[in-house]
Amino acid sequence: MVSTANAVFNFFMKILVLPLWLLNQVGIWSPFYRLLFPHILYRLAKHFNKRMAKTKRDLFLNVENFAVQKGRLTVLEIGCGTGANFQFYPRGTRVICVDRNPHFNKFLQDNEKMYPHLQLEKVFSPAEDMHRVADGSVDVVVATLVLCSVQNVQTVLTEVARVLKPGGAFYFLEHVAADPATWTYFFQHIFDPLWWYFGDGCSLTVETWQYLENSGFSDLKLKHLHAPLALPLVRPHILGYAVK
């Protein structure tokens, strides 16, 4: 009964987003929203960091342990966005910012001035194809609220493993699909078609932990949690790190 209702609501939601689909098909929506999205995310990231500051600090607490050369940590961050994670990186860290949206550059430049102790490099490319980053060249890869919006999670994780040095770590903090027995799960599937357009390709229903569990990392530390966020649809999260 629930699955039938879900399918019906999902159908009507797809009808509702039909104008956005048409705008996207003719090449209007995506360029427009990619220009607008950095301004929206800049404000949302401040709210997220305020609610999740302790969680992020605890997550990155041991990040320096993965530096092959002591005191010379190289971090590649996928979906660097506005630079919301810069405050959690140790002094002297070399940060390679990979993002598919060049319109984030202005916010990256502003944050670069706020954290002069970091060495920033920018690579504008999709996470599925980071060919400009050499094999085995980084100590740590970071993705926070990114794997929900990539085109192929498995391809991204393959790229992560490629660029990591042996023994390097992939740190993640992602909103994910809720428990199927909850109303949150039901409404995630109802609103997912609309969310995709206003989240710049973000999906509410990705079961990211399954990809991580099947990606061949030598060690995986993964925890499920409910983030203290205002919107129930994005409260289910996972966090942790995986070692190559």
Side-chain angles (χ1 to χ4, degrees), residues 30-226:
S30 185
F32 161 73
Y33 200 70
R34 287 203 173 179
L35 185 64
L36 178 64
F37 189 63
H39 297 272
I40 297 172
L41 192 63
Y42 177 72
R43 288 160 178 78
L44 291 177
K46 284 187 173 182
H47 170 75
F48 186 84
N49 267 1
K50 185 177 180 181
R51 295 291 185 97
M52 299 290 285
K54 184 181 184 305
T55 301
K56 280 192 173 185
R57 278 195 299 270
D58 291 345
L59 174 63
F60 294 121
L61 197 60
N62 68 338
V63 71
E64 281 185 285
N65 295 345
F66 291 99
V68 172
Q69 292 181 280
K70 190 174 181 180
R72 297 187 64 181
L73 181 69
T74 298
V75 172
L76 183 150
E77 182 171 349
I78 299 172
C80 227
T82 61
N85 290 327
F86 290 172
Q87 61 183 292
F88 303 105
Y89 296 149
R91 180 174 295 277
T93 299
R94 175 189 172 211
V95 184
I96 304 170
C97 296
V98 175
D99 205 295
R100 65 182 182 180
N101 189 343
H103 299 299
F104 278 112
N105 192 45
K106 173 188 178 299
F107 298 99
L108 281 175
Q109 288 176 335
D110 291 343
N111 261 331
E112 189 173 4
K113 294 172 187 175
M114 291 175 60
Y115 302 101
H117 62 282
L118 301 177
Q119 304 167 35
L120 258 61
E121 301 173 24
K122 301 162 193 172
V123 177
F124 292 106
S125 73
E128 291 88 348
D129 181 15
M130 298 187 288
H131 66 273
R132 290 170 59 186
V133 183
D135 295 3
S137 60
V138 303
D139 302 302
V140 169
V141 176
V142 172
T144 59
L145 307 181
V146 171
L147 297 180
C148 54
S149 59
V150 299
Q151 291 186 10
N152 190 308
V153 177
Q154 190 56 62
T155 301
V156 172
L157 294 178
T158 300
E159 277 289 85
V160 167
R162 180 185 67 79
V163 302
L164 277 174
K165 295 176 182 177
F170 172 50
Y171 282 75
F172 54 88
L173 173 61
E174 298 286 334
H175 74 79
V176 293
D179 184 329
T182 64
W183 280 107
T184 300
Y185 180 86
F186 175 82
F187 284 109
Q188 281 179 333
H189 282 76
I190 295 301
F191 286 103
D192 196 56
L194 183 64
W195 190 269
W196 189 89
Y197 288 99
F198 290 99
D200 194 27
C202 175
S203 173
L204 294 166
T205 61
V206 183
E207 297 178 349
T208 310
W209 65 90
Q210 293 190 7
Y211 292 97
L212 288 162
E213 290 168 352
N214 294 295
S215 289
F217 289 101
S218 64
D219 189 23
L220 175 62
K221 309 292 186 185
L222 187 150
K223 176 184 176 183
H224 287 259
L225 74 153
H226 273 75

Side-chain angles (χ1 to χ4, degrees), residues 13-24:
M13 186 60 70
K14 287 180 179 179
I15 297 293
L16 181 65
V17 301
L18 187 58
L20 295 176
W21 180 83
L22 290 170
L23 287 173
N24 199 48

